[in-house]
Amino acid sequence: MVPKLFYFLMFFTLFTVTFASVEEATALLKWKATVLSQNNSLLASWTLSTDACRGWYGVICFNGRVNKINITNAGVVGTLHDFPFSSLLFLEYVVYLDLSTNQITGSIPSTLGDLTKLNILYLYENQLSGPLPAEIGKMKSLEYLSLWSNNLSGPIPITLGDLTELNVLYLYSNQLSGPILAEIGKMKSLEYLSLWSNNLSGPIPITLGDLTELNVLYLYSNQLSGPIPAEIGKMKSLEYLSLWSNNLSGPIPSELGNLKNLTRLDLSYNQLTGLVPVSFGNLRNLQTLNLAANELSGSIPKEFAYLDSLVLFSMSFNHFSGLTEWLCKDGKLEIFVVNGGKLEIFTVNSNKLTGPIPRSLSKCSSFKRVRFNNNNFTGNLSEAFGIHPELRFIDLSDNDFHGELSSNWGKCKNLIDSKGIWKINFSG
């Protein structure tokens, strides 16, 4: 009796799996009939006469069931309206749906939410439009969601905060509007959050500080307003923070100095006011610091001498009145050990800087591009200028310098282009 029952169960399982495969294949073929493929050789394999689990391009099965679909770059032209989301009952396995880099238009159907076991969803670089369906919040197994570079519009649905397993959320380069919801702070597993180049407005929610696993936070090129929340200083894993080109105002919170893993910090093109926090001296891994085009004032703190990994530093178009003497100091008699560092791009133009250029900058042998123009600098240029063998451009115009040029200028071979013209601007 037991062997008969065993064989019956085996037959029933095999029949069920086979039926499911035919059902899935038929549903996919129905969708294929509604779209065009600019690369017919890829989807030509999708026929009833072939095994969907073995012969179909971009289709991978597990236990006879369609488990992964990857038809990226297949040149598909069409919509998702007839895509069989409800027919593809994926197993609890690492599953994948990649329809990216095609020409898929129209809205995202609410039936997408039926894929409750999907781990990875890539629909980027298409022409999708309309709102994000609230049903996405039902896809509790999602770990990667990439919808970037489409024409999606409307607000971010509050249900997105239910995706607590999400590691990567890429919604950038769309037309999304409305606020960044506080519910995003519930996504405690997030490591990458990119919402840049949308029409998002309102304040940055303080709940983002709860995303302590986050490595990348890109919110630039939106219409965000209000202060930078001090709670961002709790995001100790953060390596890249870009908030440029918004309407952020108020002072820079000193708590940002707690982000010791930060390598890129860009706060440019906002309306930030006040002083640069002394705590920025703690950001020893910082390679890029861009504070340009704000309303910042005061002096650059001497603690910046600790930033010996800095490659790019821009404070242009502000109201700064002083530079620290300690940048690029050799540190023999002081606690600072910059020794010239790695600083390549240094732009302080269009401020209220006065007095001579700090002598310590003559030790920045790594300089490639420098702008001192449109300030009130004075002093003897021959004393301020060091040996900068990598220097390719320098602008000293609109200041009150005097004196003869140093012989060190002749050692800057990259300052002369192929036509023998010097890439130096003294005029103004």
Side-chain angles (χ1 to χ4, degrees):
M1 184 66 183
V2 173
K4 290 183 178 180
L5 179 61
F6 175 74
Y7 286 120
F8 173 78
L9 290 175
M10 283 188 59
F11 173 79
F12 179 77
T13 302
L14 180 61
F15 174 81
T16 303
V17 168
T18 303
F19 176 77
S21 297
V22 172
E23 180 187 20
E24 292 168 343
T26 302
L28 286 171
L29 286 175
K30 181 180 177 182
W31 175 70
K32 177 192 172 186
T34 69
V35 302
L36 299 175
S37 176
Q38 295 175 344
N39 192 340
N40 292 324
S41 62
L42 297 181
L43 294 189
S45 59
W46 286 28
T47 65
L48 275 179
S49 61
T50 56
D51 185 349
C53 293
R54 296 183 181 179
W56 284 23
Y57 167 77
V59 176
I60 298 176
C61 296
F62 178 73
N63 284 345
R65 303 293 297 274
V66 175
N67 178 247
K68 300 181 184 180
I69 298 178
N70 182 356
I71 55 172
T72 184
N73 281 318
V76 172
V77 180
T79 73
L80 295 176
H81 292 162
D82 294 310
F83 194 85
F85 294 114
S86 300
S87 299
L88 300 174
L89 303 178
F90 292 86
L91 300 176
E92 290 191 54
Y93 188 68
V94 177
V95 291
Y96 187 90
L97 177 60
D98 189 346
L99 301 175
S100 61
T101 319
N102 286 291
Q103 295 183 43
I104 299 175
T105 60
S107 59
I108 299 177
S110 60
T111 51
L112 176 67
D114 294 337
L115 304 182
T116 57
K117 296 174 182 177
L118 195 69
N119 297 126
I120 301 173
L121 176 60
Y122 290 160
L123 292 172
Y124 59 83
E125 287 193 327
N126 281 288
Q127 299 170 25
L128 293 167
S129 58
L132 287 172
E135 288 77 7
I136 283 183
K138 298 192 301 182
M139 305 170 71
K140 300 295 180 63
S141 298
L142 267 186
E143 297 178 12
Y144 301 86
L145 177 58
S146 289
L147 303 175
W148 53 272
S149 214
N150 280 286
N151 299 311
L152 299 171
S153 59
I156 298 174
I158 193 171
T159 54
L160 208 64
D162 295 331
L163 305 181
T164 54
E165 299 299 317
L166 211 59
N167 297 130
V168 175
L169 178 57
Y170 287 161
L171 300 179
Y172 61 87
S173 290
N174 280 288
Q175 300 173 27
L176 298 172
S177 58
I180 298 176
L181 300 172
E183 283 71 16
I184 288 183
K186 292 163 34 178
M187 300 178 177
K188 301 295 177 57
S189 298
L190 266 186
E191 297 179 10
Y192 300 89
L193 176 58
S194 287
L195 304 177
W196 55 270
S197 196
N198 279 287
N199 298 312
L200 298 172
S201 58
I204 299 174
I206 62 175
T207 54
L208 289 190
D210 295 331
L211 305 180
T212 54
E213 300 299 318
L214 204 66
N215 297 125
V216 175
L217 178 58
Y218 285 164
L219 303 179
Y220 60 87
S221 291
N222 279 288
Q223 300 170 26
L224 300 172
S225 58
I228 298 173
E231 286 76 7
I232 287 183
K234 298 190 300 182
M235 305 166 75
K236 300 297 179 62
S237 299
L238 210 56
E239 297 179 17
Y240 300 89
L241 175 59
S242 286
L243 305 177
W244 58 272
S245 195
N246 280 288
N247 299 311
L248 299 172
S249 58
I252 300 173
S254 61
E255 288 81 359
L256 294 189
N258 296 330
L259 305 177
K260 296 184 179 180
N261 289 314
L262 214 57
T263 61
R264 178 183 177 87
L265 176 59
D266 196 336
L267 306 179
S268 60
Y269 292 91
N270 280 287
Q271 300 168 25
L272 300 172
T273 56
L275 307 177
V276 177
V278 173
S279 61
F280 274 19
N282 297 326
L283 306 178
R284 298 294 300 272
N285 292 309
L286 203 60
Q287 298 175 16
T288 297
L289 176 58
N290 194 345
L291 305 175
N294 280 287
E295 305 292 331
L296 299 169
S297 58
S299 297
I300 299 301
K302 66 175 187 277
E303 284 78 8
F304 269 46
Y306 288 118
L307 306 183
D308 49 7
S309 297
L310 208 57
V311 176
L312 182 153
F313 176 40
S314 178
M315 50 182 270
S316 305
F317 299 101
N318 278 285
H319 306 299
F320 289 111
S321 56
L323 280 175
T324 176
E325 181 64 39
W326 307 106
L327 285 171
C328 301
K329 188 174 176 61
D330 59 24
K332 292 180 180 179
L333 300 177
E334 307 289 341
I335 60 173
F336 308 113
V337 289
V338 176
N339 292 320
K342 305 172 183 177
L343 198 57
E344 296 180 1
I345 300 174
F346 184 72
T347 59
V348 297
N349 54 292
S350 301
N351 276 284
K352 298 179 179 179
L353 299 170
T354 60
I357 293 176
R359 293 284 187 91
S360 60
L361 292 181
S362 65
K363 303 182 187 300
C364 292
S365 57
S366 53
F367 273 164
K368 290 185 178 180
R369 184 175 181 85
V370 179
R371 299 190 73 105
F372 293 112
N373 55 293
N374 196 22
N375 279 288
N376 297 308
F377 282 119
T378 58
N380 192 327
L381 275 181
S382 64
E383 297 175 357
F385 198 79
I387 298 176
H388 307 288
E390 303 297 323
L391 193 62
R392 299 171 185 174
F393 176 83
I394 185 168
D395 193 337
L396 299 165
S397 62
D398 292 304
N399 284 289
D400 295 315
F401 294 118
H402 68 274
E404 298 179 353
L405 296 183
S406 168
S407 61
N408 289 332
W409 291 95
K411 301 175 183 178
C412 300
K413 304 300 183 183
N414 292 318
L415 275 178
I416 305 176
D417 64 16
S418 58
K419 298 180 180 180
I421 300 175
W422 285 83
K423 292 178 283 187
I424 308 173
N425 187 8
F426 292 110
S427 63

